[in-house]
Amino acid sequence: MLREEILEATMAVYKKKGMRFTMDDLAKEMSRSKKTIYTVFRDKKHLFLEEVDFFFDKIKEREQEILCDDSLSVKEKLRGVLSVMPENFSGVDFPSIYTFKDKYPAVYRRIGERLESDWDTAFALIDQGMEDGTFKNVNKEFFRLVYNASIEKFLSSDELTRLKIHYNDALKGLTDMLIEGITA
């Protein structure tokens, strides 16, 4: 499907050039014309908005795979759900996303909205863990707040870059700290 091909290529170009890539760069990556891309996306802003949803939809797909893996404990499933990263998005400089805040505020808002939503899976796992004694009784909303505040800090500053910590490592470390903190 052309839409998905464009979104996959967008991520490849973004990894190479960051937000400054051009539609010419994207067309070259796809070996297609810019005109073809513009039949699907009217401009770069709308392309980025779709890319955000594409990314988070890929996370949701991977979450479902984790949930269906009966060999994993509730703790391992929660760890997987909170730190899942789609394969084709590895190597992305996520801390650079904060630059979207000024140039593409609608895209930056969409990222925030998607981070804030879809906590049903994690909450269900926390509930399951509290019921079976894996986790302490915790305030799930507070857990969400701490996680989201950390992610927001990762994405809204150059702290990780300054500390030479890759986003994926920071996400794993955050997830480990939070899960170990609620483990009974």
Side-chain angles (χ1 to χ4, degrees):
M1 180 167 141
L2 182 58
R3 177 178 297 280
E4 190 164 321
E5 181 185 344
I6 294 169
L7 293 169
E8 293 280 355
T10 298
M11 186 49 55
V13 174
Y14 183 82
K15 284 181 193 179
K16 294 174 193 170
K17 297 195 170 206
M19 186 170 70
R20 292 187 184 97
F21 78 84
T22 66
M23 294 304 243
D24 285 322
D25 295 328
L26 181 57
K28 183 178 177 184
E29 176 76 20
M30 295 177 61
S31 300
R32 302 247 189 173
S33 71
K34 271 195 323 188
K35 189 174 182 178
T36 301
I37 297 167
Y38 283 119
T39 64
V40 179
F41 298 103
R42 67 178 177 219
D43 57 29
K44 200 170 170 183
K45 178 184 114 181
H46 288 91
L47 173 63
F48 281 144
L49 284 168
E50 285 270 341
E51 190 70 31
V52 169
D53 288 334
F54 183 68
F55 171 76
F56 280 98
D57 292 346
K58 291 288 184 190
I59 286 175
K60 289 297 163 196
E61 287 173 16
R62 182 66 185 111
E63 280 181 6
Q64 288 307 308
E65 292 172 16
I66 291 166
L67 291 175
C68 292
D69 186 344
D70 293 331
S71 71
L72 298 175
S73 69
V74 66
K75 187 175 176 179
E76 291 166 326
K77 286 181 181 182
L78 182 59
R79 180 174 276 114
V81 164
L82 292 176
S83 63
V84 69
M85 187 63 59
E87 276 183 39
N88 54 339
F89 289 83
S90 64
V92 172
D93 179 24
F94 284 100
S96 71
I97 288 174
Y98 78 95
T99 60
F100 279 80
K101 191 172 189 174
D102 294 326
K103 185 151 175 116
Y104 296 100
V107 175
Y108 192 77
R109 276 192 306 278
R110 174 79 55 89
I111 293 167
E113 289 164 5
R114 291 297 302 257
L115 283 170
E116 292 288 331
S117 66
D118 298 330
W119 273 83
D120 294 343
T121 301
F123 282 177
L125 288 168
I126 292 171
D127 284 336
Q128 181 183 347
M130 287 189 298
E131 287 171 19
D132 72 15
T134 301
F135 300 136
K136 302 173 195 171
N137 284 329
V138 296
N139 181 319
K140 295 178 295 192
E141 288 298 331
F142 181 71
F143 184 94
R144 180 190 59 78
L145 180 67
V146 170
Y147 178 90
N148 283 346
S150 297
I151 298 297
E152 173 70 23
K153 182 68 172 179
F154 294 166
L155 298 179
S156 67
S157 73
D158 65 350
E159 293 285 326
L160 294 179
T161 303
R162 187 178 58 74
L163 296 170
K164 295 182 172 105
I165 300 172
H166 190 276
Y167 177 81
N168 290 356
D169 295 332
L171 181 61
K172 183 184 178 317
L174 168 65
T175 301
D176 288 346
M177 280 192 277
L178 287 175
I179 290 175
E180 291 309 315
I182 67 170
T183 298

